[in-house]
Amino acid sequence: MASDVPMSPELEQIDGEIHDIFRALQNGFQKMDKIKDSNRQAKQLEDLTARMKECKRLIKEFDRILKDEESNNPPEVNKQLNDRKQYMIKELNSYVTLRKTYQSSLGNNKRVELFDMGTGSSEPAPEDNIQMASAMSNQQLVDAGREQMNQTDQAIDRSKMVVAQTIEVGTQTATALTQQTDQMKRIGNELDSVHFSLKKASKLVKEIGRQVATDKCIMALLFLIVCGVIAIIVVKIANPHNKNIRDIPGLAPPAQNFQISNRRLLSAETFRGF
């Protein structure tokens, strides 16, 4: 059966290996009829049994990868891949039945464990404890189906719990993001207020600076005027007869004022004598 089902590279590789094993099993069982020696037939049967073990392992790997990729594939592709898997199982079952037929004809009382993957142990590994469909009774099939359904229900319940937890985490995250967004808006408004206050403060500082500069200029001018007045007074007192220096209104040399006062007194006394 050539596979025309779209597969991933991993599934395609496993499918090719299984196809090669089926071809080898077909050729091997055809050779069994040509072998007359019972020992050689037993050896050939053991070799075919080993190939069937490997084929079962590959089918399990195929099923595992198929389940991992099931959510990424369309429903029709998943159905085709499942049909392909069922074909592999049926094909392997036919070779298992054929092996049992040859084993009975050989009268080999030695048990050949097809699915015993362990060594030195009489019990098969837990994952290999699953019998193929052809070797199971109806009751075993029903029990296996129920067990599989229970496992599926448990997996669905776990998935629902994960979805519920994811929704809860998403809700909490959305609430936190909303709160942070509101906080960022408030911070932006506060930054605008601070920027406006800084601009106002900058203007006020500039105005104060201009007023201080004006006050300094006025103080310097007053200081120069006072210094000039003091200088004139000092010079006038030190040299009262210097005509180059004009008298300051309201200020006269002390000596000159004294002489004028004496003259006025003498004139008054003279008039009184007459």
Side-chain angles (χ1 to χ4, degrees):
M1 177 181 178
S3 176
D4 55 353
V5 181
M7 302 182 187
S8 65
E10 291 180 303
L11 289 178
E12 189 174 355
Q13 181 180 358
I14 294 174
D15 182 75
E17 293 178 3
I18 293 174
H19 180 72
D20 293 340
I21 291 176
F22 285 158
R23 186 169 53 189
L25 289 173
Q26 182 179 5
N27 296 332
F29 280 111
Q30 288 176 356
K31 290 180 181 180
M32 286 286 293
D33 296 332
K34 299 178 182 180
I35 298 174
K36 303 302 180 181
D37 187 11
S38 60
N39 291 329
R40 290 180 58 190
Q41 284 183 346
K43 181 67 176 176
Q44 178 72 7
L45 193 60
E46 290 180 0
D47 180 64
L48 295 174
T49 301
R51 290 181 180 272
M52 284 187 276
K53 290 180 181 179
E54 177 65 16
C55 183
K56 182 194 172 185
R57 185 190 68 81
L58 290 173
I59 291 175
K60 287 184 176 182
E61 184 68 15
F62 185 94
D63 183 59
R64 183 188 66 80
I65 297 175
L66 176 60
K67 290 179 179 178
D68 293 339
E69 298 178 354
E70 190 173 5
S71 59
N72 299 327
N73 295 331
E76 58 273 11
V77 174
N78 289 328
K79 183 178 182 303
Q80 292 176 356
L81 291 174
N82 282 314
D83 292 341
R84 178 65 180 172
K85 181 187 70 174
Q86 293 300 325
Y87 162 78
M88 295 175 184
I89 294 174
K90 290 179 181 179
E91 188 76 9
L92 181 59
N93 286 339
S94 65
Y95 289 117
V96 170
T97 304
L98 191 60
R99 180 195 65 83
K100 290 180 179 180
T101 302
Y102 277 102
Q103 184 178 353
S104 299
S105 64
L106 287 173
N108 188 3
N109 295 326
K110 180 180 177 181
R111 184 181 178 188
V112 180
E113 296 290 343
L114 175 58
F115 301 114
D116 184 9
M117 302 300 292
T119 57
S121 175
S122 61
E123 295 182 0
E127 67 176 17
D128 296 325
N129 200 24
I130 302 175
Q131 299 179 354
M132 303 303 292
S134 62
M136 299 173 67
S137 64
N138 291 335
Q139 185 62 36
Q140 288 176 332
L141 287 172
V142 171
D143 294 339
R146 289 177 178 174
E147 183 180 358
Q148 188 68 26
M149 289 177 64
N150 292 333
Q151 293 177 357
T152 303
D153 291 339
Q154 293 175 2
I156 292 174
D157 292 338
R158 289 193 296 269
S159 300
K160 288 181 178 178
M161 291 177 60
V162 171
V163 170
Q165 293 175 357
T166 304
I167 293 174
E168 184 178 359
V169 172
T171 303
Q172 294 176 355
T173 303
T175 303
L177 286 175
T178 302
Q179 294 176 353
Q180 292 178 359
T181 302
D182 295 339
Q183 185 177 3
M184 292 295 293
K185 289 181 179 178
R186 289 194 298 269
I187 292 174
N189 295 333
E190 291 176 359
L191 287 175
D192 292 338
S193 300
V194 171
H195 183 66
F196 178 73
S197 300
L198 288 175
K199 288 177 69 176
K200 256 183 105 174
S202 177
K203 290 181 180 179
L204 183 60
V205 168
K206 290 180 180 178
E207 291 177 0
I208 294 174
R210 285 195 294 268
Q211 291 178 359
V212 170
T214 304
D215 294 342
K216 286 184 178 180
C217 292
I218 294 173
M219 292 296 293
L221 183 60
L222 291 175
F223 178 74
L224 292 175
I225 293 173
V226 171
C227 290
V229 171
I230 293 173
I232 293 172
I233 293 173
V234 171
V235 173
K236 194 67 176 175
I237 293 174
N239 191 6
H241 300 289
N242 189 352
K243 301 300 184 181
N244 294 326
I245 300 175
R246 298 179 61 184
D247 294 336
I248 298 175
L251 294 177
Q256 187 176 359
N257 291 337
F258 178 72
Q259 291 176 359
I260 293 173
S261 300
N262 290 337
R263 290 175 183 172
R264 288 178 180 175
L265 290 173
L266 290 174
S267 300
E269 289 177 355
T270 303
F271 284 113
R272 289 178 185 174
F274 290 108

